Amino acid sequence: MRRIAWSPKSIRVFKRIVRQNPQLRPLIEQTLQQLAEDAFHPSLRTHKLTGNLSGIWACSIDYSYRVLFEFVDEEATILLLNLGSHDEVY
């Protein structure tokens, strides 16, 4: 199981999302738990990004919301970079 680390930006965005959409909190927490257990579980639809976001990975919270992250410490830790809708994070 990998450790989840939060960047300052991801903490701010998480708080904002939960304040605006409290019903998303359990879904986000469930997604992060699954990410820590198996980052490539099919339900997450994990994929590597290209272009300006090369080297960063993304997974789905639901149809609209995504999590952007990086593997660090030889993939033992996942650093959350950003959360939000598709248009906000890309």
Side-chain angles (χ1 to χ4, degrees):
M1 189 157 150
R2 293 179 172 96
R3 188 175 75 83
I4 300 288
W6 294 75
S7 70
K9 180 177 183 175
S10 65
I11 293 170
R12 282 193 313 273
V13 172
F14 173 75
K15 288 178 181 178
R16 180 180 49 86
I17 289 172
V18 170
R19 188 175 57 250
Q20 294 174 350
N21 304 296
Q23 74 280 5
L24 283 177
R25 185 182 191 116
L27 194 53
I28 293 170
E29 290 172 351
Q30 178 184 355
T31 300
L32 296 179
Q33 179 66 32
Q34 183 66 52
L35 188 63
E37 291 174 7
D38 179 7
F40 296 99
H41 190 276
S43 68
L44 296 175
R45 297 190 295 280
T46 303
H47 57 284
K48 194 170 194 174
L49 302 177
T50 59
N52 292 343
L53 299 174
S54 180
I56 297 175
W57 293 77
C59 71
S60 297
I61 296 171
D62 64 7
Y63 183 76
S64 299
Y65 287 87
R66 306 286 186 271
V67 175
L68 268 56
F69 63 93
E70 288 180 320
F71 291 105
V72 293
D73 299 338
E74 297 173 13
E75 298 191 9
T77 302
I78 293 173
L79 175 62
L80 302 180
L81 301 173
N82 200 355
L83 296 92
S85 70
H86 184 275
D87 293 338
E88 291 170 341
V89 297
Y90 298 122

